[in-house]
Amino acid sequence: MKQFENKIEIIENAPVMRAIRLHEFGGPDVLRYEEAPIPEIKSGEVLVRVHAVGINPPDWYLRDGYKMLPPEWQPQVPFPVILGTDISGVIEAVADNVMDFSVGDQVYSMVRFPSFGPSKAYAQYVSVPASEVALKPTGIDHVHAAGAPMAGLTAWQFLIEPGHNEQNPLQPDRHEPVPLEGKTVLVNGAAGGVGHFAVQIAKWRGARVIAVASGKHEAFLRDLGADKFIDYTKTPPEDVVRDIDLVIDSVGGPATGRFLRTLKRGGALFPIFPLGFSGVQEAEKLGVTISATQVRSNGAQLAELSRLLDAGTVRVGIDSTFPLADARKAHERAAHGHIQGKIVLTVV
């Protein structure tokens, strides 16, 4: 208890931190690097001194005001707001009832996702429910660890185990992963955050993997274990592949229906972003299952992923890094597309 009290005293002597906040919706130029209150930890939480922050599509969805969602799904956002979910850092304080973590532990997390409020990760400190924290893989640094949580958990929950019973409102049944051993899996958008984890996790579970991305990513994806590579800028994959067992479309959206023709009867199409897909009736005629889920924070699954990251079975590709103060530049980089792995913010 004394250790906990000492850490709180240190933080109280420095009541503010630096963070990236929004005061209005808009483009990357609305991101402000400024002072914000250090968060207080509540029962069941830890306070993490952040070393690195992974950026993800939900960050710019929030920054834009969730324009990609139907109006009835757009949450109310109280300004000012701190963006971000993915962190890697060191525990500075723990609540009385947290037994599994201690001050000084190096940890990583996807913080409070999804939630009705922002998760507040683009900052020097963040409070995190202990159930959403896992020890950082010892074999990788904070930058690589920060690139793993959302993308890694998304691939895990689509391919291995959802870890929750929350229903996707766009489909009648709970998402169920399919057996992968001995199957042929096509990953579209394979070089991106979720895509490059999906390639590796499918290979780990014994699948033959076809990676679809632009040509400049071929060496990267073959190094991660892809058995076949298709440069979509030269050859539309739906024109040249057939009898696939599973397509993981990490791009998703309205165009995901083009992959129906690549699947065998009894196959499955998992769009990571299912909004806009309108081919349910066609899929039923073809005997193809369409299924998706919403990634959710899960410390226990991150602990499982840690073992794969430590063993080198799964690796985190880093596209680029930017100081936290340059979050605007990081968002501009994301908007340009053709990302190889993850973009990460470093925190001093």
Side-chain angles (χ1 to χ4, degrees):
M1 184 65 184
K2 187 174 187 325
Q3 187 179 37
F4 170 71
E5 290 172 345
N6 287 344
K7 285 297 179 184
I8 290 299
E9 182 180 356
I10 291 171
I11 293 166
E12 285 176 348
N13 288 337
V16 296
M17 62 181 179
R18 303 294 290 184
I20 296 291
R21 298 205 296 185
L22 292 179
H23 295 262
E24 60 183 328
F25 296 132
D29 58 307
V30 301
L31 299 175
R32 296 189 191 176
Y33 182 60
E34 61 189 19
E35 289 187 346
I38 290 176
E40 297 180 0
I41 56 172
K42 300 176 182 177
S43 177
E45 293 184 344
V46 301
L47 184 71
V48 177
R49 172 70 164 90
V50 179
H51 284 228
V53 181
I55 78 169
N56 297 286
D59 301 353
W60 48 88
Y61 298 160
L62 169 55
R63 190 204 70 217
D64 286 341
Y66 295 109
K67 292 178 181 177
M68 27 65 71
L69 292 178
E72 64 272 19
W73 288 10
Q74 294 176 4
Q76 296 296 313
V77 177
F79 293 116
V81 61
I82 299 173
L83 295 179
T85 59
D86 284 7
I87 60 145
S88 182
V90 178
I91 292 180
E92 288 269 341
V94 298
D96 296 6
N97 58 344
V98 172
M99 304 300 172
D100 296 332
F101 298 97
S102 302
V103 171
D105 284 346
Q106 297 191 50
V107 296
Y108 73 144
S109 178
M110 181 176 77
V111 186
R112 297 187 187 88
F113 190 87
S115 66
F116 292 107
S119 302
K120 303 181 179 180
Y122 285 23
Q124 291 178 318
Y125 293 93
V126 62
S127 61
V128 191
S131 62
E132 299 177 2
V133 172
L135 293 176
K136 181 184 78 65
T138 57
I140 63 176
D141 59 21
H142 286 291
V143 167
H144 286 79
M150 180 172 283
L153 284 176
T154 299
W156 189 277
Q157 291 177 15
F158 268 82
L159 294 174
I160 306 300
E161 171 56 46
H164 60 81
N165 292 313
E166 297 293 334
Q167 191 64 31
N168 177 353
L170 298 174
Q171 64 188 47
D173 302 312
R174 180 181 182 269
H175 175 75
E176 295 290 344
V178 298
L180 295 173
E181 186 172 359
K183 302 297 178 63
T184 298
V185 176
L186 183 147
V187 181
N188 185 46
V194 174
H196 87 291
F197 278 102
V199 167
Q200 296 176 85
I201 289 173
K203 283 295 295 182
W204 169 60
R205 295 303 285 256
R208 173 178 177 264
V209 177
I210 301 172
V212 178
S214 64
K216 71 175 185 177
H217 301 304
E218 180 173 2
F220 170 68
L221 289 164
R222 288 195 182 276
D223 187 52
L224 294 181
D227 298 285
K228 181 177 179 180
F229 177 83
I230 297 174
D231 181 351
Y232 74 88
T233 68
K234 296 179 178 178
T235 307
E238 65 272 21
D239 290 349
V240 295
V241 293
R242 293 292 183 273
D243 296 325
I244 302 296
D245 295 291
L246 171 65
V247 170
I248 303 156
D249 184 4
S250 69
V251 180
T256 199
R258 65 197 172 106
F259 290 106
L260 290 174
R261 74 182 80 166
T262 70
L263 288 155
K264 63 174 60 172
R265 181 166 287 275
L269 170 59
F270 293 171
I272 303 300
F273 186 79
L275 282 175
F277 174 70
S278 59
V280 174
Q281 291 183 338
E282 182 183 358
E284 290 175 351
K285 291 178 182 178
L286 295 171
V288 169
T289 298
I290 309 294
S291 185
T293 188
Q294 169 67 70
V295 65
R296 290 180 177 269
S297 299
N298 191 309
Q301 290 180 337
L302 279 179
E304 294 187 65
L305 188 60
S306 281
R307 288 188 278 273
L308 297 179
L309 290 164
D310 265 331
T313 305
V314 172
R315 288 175 282 161
V316 184
I318 299 298
D319 176 273
S320 50
T321 63
F322 297 84
L324 179 65
D326 289 339
R328 176 183 59 80
K329 293 180 181 178
H331 277 231
E332 289 171 348
R333 166 71 190 107
H336 290 154
H338 298 287
I339 296 168
Q340 183 170 286
K342 295 301 300 289
I343 302 170
V344 175
L345 303 172
T346 55
V347 184
V348 179

